[in-house]
Amino acid sequence: MKEGMSMSSVVRKMLMLLLPVIALAFTGCAGMEFAPKRAVWYYPPEFPAADRAIAKARVDGKDKECPKEFAAAAKMRDDAYDVYLSCKTQEGIDMAKKAIAMAGELCPKPPVPTPCPACDQPKPTPEKATEKEVAVIRIVNFDFDKYNIKAVFKPELDMAAEIIKKYPNPSITIDGYCDNKGSYKYNMRLSIRRAEAAKAALVKNGINGSSIRTVGHSYDDPIADNKTDAGRAKNRRAEIHIIGK
């Protein structure tokens, strides 16, 4: 009888030890998500969310459309697990959040341009250079998808303004160019804006705006190879043609 009671006591003790484990298996950890990985059953929800974000990006073909950026997002997710499992909880969670953001921003589409009625007009034929052309000033290296002129090119604009002022009735043509990233129509608008930005800088330097004509060329007439970053940087330019009369 005593032996039976002893066995019952052992069974009860074993059940008391197992009940928390069984309850954990059914209810999970508070604030955690059941996501077995690397011999751990439960993780903060940011980690399985990062897994889902990477998986969705792969299904959407982002791993092929922009493989370098996709690999960076996947590595951030993997590093987040490593950091978390090394007991750096918050740092790992922050990295998992960053991986989610990186996966959501993969392969961004070109920005929608603002309306520009003048940009849809037929491309004018540039004037042919003649013996009266006295100078060609090239402003090179606009940033990608930008048309603001960097301060480093101010000396070229100042020089162009000084040359123009030497002629009583000069005729100035400013040609804007782009690299070959994006559509022809979008780059046409951008190239016109680049030419207009150079015109505004000359007007600010005291040049009569009515003597300046602006022309956009989209990605026509490159001066460097559009297959390289360095070549595309050179093609993102504006040229000031000064005709003395």
Side-chain angles (χ1 to χ4, degrees):
M1 185 71 175
K2 289 181 179 180
E3 182 179 352
M5 291 177 63
S6 177
M7 289 295 292
S8 298
S9 177
V10 170
V11 170
R12 282 197 299 273
K13 288 181 178 180
M14 290 180 65
L15 286 173
M16 290 177 67
L17 291 172
L18 288 173
L19 278 174
V21 176
I22 295 170
L24 180 63
F26 280 98
T27 63
C29 300
M32 307 284 273
E33 187 172 332
F34 181 69
K37 190 170 185 178
R38 302 191 186 185
V40 176
W41 284 14
Y42 290 89
Y43 286 94
E46 290 83 0
F47 289 87
D51 287 333
R52 290 191 291 270
I54 297 297
K56 182 180 184 304
R58 190 186 299 277
V59 170
D60 292 342
K62 303 296 186 181
D63 56 329
K64 295 181 177 60
E65 186 177 348
C66 47
K68 186 181 295 184
E69 292 80 2
F70 176 84
K75 185 178 185 302
M76 180 61 66
R77 183 272 315 271
D78 295 339
D79 290 347
Y81 275 105
D82 292 337
V83 170
Y84 176 78
L85 293 175
S86 67
C87 298
K88 297 178 182 178
T89 303
Q90 189 56 52
E91 185 177 347
I93 290 174
D94 291 341
M95 292 175 69
K97 290 179 179 178
K98 186 172 182 180
I100 294 170
M102 291 170 68
E105 296 170 357
L106 289 174
C107 317
K109 301 299 182 184
V112 178
T114 54
C116 175
C119 299
D120 295 324
Q121 296 177 1
K123 177 182 172 182
T125 304
E127 289 183 355
K128 294 183 179 180
T130 69
E131 67 279 3
K132 293 183 180 180
E133 185 174 84
V134 295
V136 178
I137 311 293
R138 281 189 177 136
I139 302 170
V140 185
N141 199 21
F142 285 89
D143 285 338
F144 176 73
D145 202 31
K146 303 291 183 184
Y147 56 88
N148 57 298
I149 298 174
K150 297 181 179 180
V152 69
F153 298 112
K154 186 177 183 299
E156 281 84 352
L157 284 166
D158 292 342
M159 178 177 66
E162 290 303 315
I163 293 173
I164 293 168
K165 290 174 183 178
K166 292 180 181 179
Y167 295 88
N169 296 301
S171 174
I172 303 104
T173 299
I174 303 179
D175 298 288
Y177 300 88
C178 297
D179 60 30
N180 65 347
K181 292 288 185 179
S183 71
Y184 187 92
K185 187 175 181 179
Y186 180 86
N187 277 303
M188 176 60 74
R189 293 177 175 135
L190 181 58
S191 65
I192 291 174
R193 290 189 176 101
R194 286 174 175 170
E196 289 290 338
K199 175 181 177 178
L202 289 179
V203 171
K204 190 175 180 180
N205 260 328
I207 305 302
N208 184 357
S210 63
S211 65
I212 303 174
R213 185 172 71 101
T214 57
V215 182
H217 297 271
S218 188
Y219 46 68
D220 290 338
D221 304 322
I223 60 172
D225 190 352
N226 268 319
K227 294 180 181 178
T228 66
D229 290 340
R232 286 191 291 270
K234 290 181 180 179
N235 290 332
R236 297 193 295 267
R237 70 194 193 279
E239 293 181 358
I240 302 172
H241 295 260
I242 303 170
I243 310 297
K245 294 183 179 179

CSV table of all heavy atoms in Angstrom, one decimal, residues 1 14 29 123 137 168-169 171 190 211 225:
chain,number,residue,atom,x,y,z
A,1,MET,N,0.8,-1.2,0.0
A,1,MET,CA,0.0,0.0,0.0
A,1,MET,C,0.9,1.3,0.0
A,1,MET,O,0.6,2.2,-0.7
A,1,MET,CB,-0.9,0.0,1.2
A,1,MET,CG,-1.9,1.2,1.2
A,1,MET,SD,-3.1,0.9,-0.1
A,1,MET,CE,-4.2,2.3,0.3
A,14,MET,N,5.7,14.2,-11.4
A,14,MET,CA,6.1,14.3,-12.9
A,14,MET,C,5.1,15.1,-13.6
A,14,MET,O,5.5,15.9,-14.5
A,14,MET,CB,6.2,12.9,-13.4
A,14,MET,CG,7.4,12.0,-12.9
A,14,MET,SD,7.5,10.4,-13.6
A,14,MET,CE,7.8,10.8,-15.3
A,29,CYS,N,4.9,31.6,-25.8
A,29,CYS,CA,5.5,32.6,-24.8
A,29,CYS,C,4.7,33.9,-25.1
A,29,CYS,O,4.4,34.2,-26.2
A,29,CYS,CB,7.0,32.7,-25.1
A,29,CYS,SG,7.9,31.2,-24.8
A,123,LYS,N,10.5,67.5,-80.1
A,123,LYS,CA,11.9,67.9,-79.8
A,123,LYS,C,12.4,68.8,-80.9
A,123,LYS,O,12.4,68.4,-82.0
A,123,LYS,CB,12.8,66.6,-79.7
A,123,LYS,CG,14.2,66.9,-79.5
A,123,LYS,CD,15.0,65.5,-79.4
A,123,LYS,CE,16.5,65.8,-79.4
A,123,LYS,NZ,17.2,64.5,-79.4
A,137,ILE,N,30.6,75.3,-73.0
A,137,ILE,CA,30.9,75.0,-71.6
A,137,ILE,C,30.1,73.8,-71.2
A,137,ILE,O,28.8,73.8,-71.4
A,137,ILE,CB,30.5,76.2,-70.7
A,137,ILE,CG1,31.0,77.5,-71.3
A,137,ILE,CG2,30.9,76.0,-69.3
A,137,ILE,CD1,32.5,77.6,-71.3
A,168,PRO,N,27.8,91.8,-77.7
A,168,PRO,CA,26.7,92.7,-77.5
A,168,PRO,C,25.3,92.0,-77.7
A,168,PRO,O,24.4,92.3,-77.1
A,168,PRO,CB,26.9,93.8,-78.6
A,168,PRO,CG,27.8,93.2,-79.6
A,168,PRO,CD,28.7,92.2,-78.8
A,169,ASN,N,25.3,91.1,-78.7
A,169,ASN,CA,24.0,90.4,-79.0
A,169,ASN,C,24.3,88.9,-79.1
A,169,ASN,O,24.1,88.3,-80.2
A,169,ASN,CB,23.4,90.9,-80.3
A,169,ASN,CG,23.0,92.4,-80.2
A,169,ASN,OD1,22.2,92.7,-79.3
A,169,ASN,ND2,23.5,93.2,-81.0
A,171,SER,N,23.9,84.8,-78.8
A,171,SER,CA,22.8,83.8,-78.9
A,171,SER,C,23.3,82.6,-78.1
A,171,SER,O,24.4,82.1,-78.4
A,171,SER,CB,22.5,83.4,-80.3
A,171,SER,OG,21.5,82.4,-80.4
A,190,LEU,N,13.4,65.4,-67.9
A,190,LEU,CA,14.5,65.6,-67.0
A,190,LEU,C,15.6,66.4,-67.7
A,190,LEU,O,16.2,67.3,-67.1
A,190,LEU,CB,15.1,64.3,-66.4
A,190,LEU,CG,16.2,64.4,-65.4
A,190,LEU,CD1,15.8,65.2,-64.2
A,190,LEU,CD2,16.6,63.0,-65.0
A,211,SER,N,17.8,85.8,-74.5
A,211,SER,CA,18.8,85.4,-75.4
A,211,SER,C,19.2,83.9,-75.3
A,211,SER,O,20.1,83.4,-76.0
A,211,SER,CB,20.0,86.2,-75.3
A,211,SER,OG,20.6,86.0,-74.0
A,225,ASP,N,30.3,55.9,-72.3
A,225,ASP,CA,29.6,54.6,-72.3
A,225,ASP,C,28.5,54.6,-71.2
A,225,ASP,O,28.8,54.7,-70.0
A,225,ASP,CB,30.6,53.5,-72.1
A,225,ASP,CG,30.1,52.1,-72.4
A,225,ASP,OD1,28.8,52.0,-72.6
A,225,ASP,OD2,30.8,51.2,-72.4
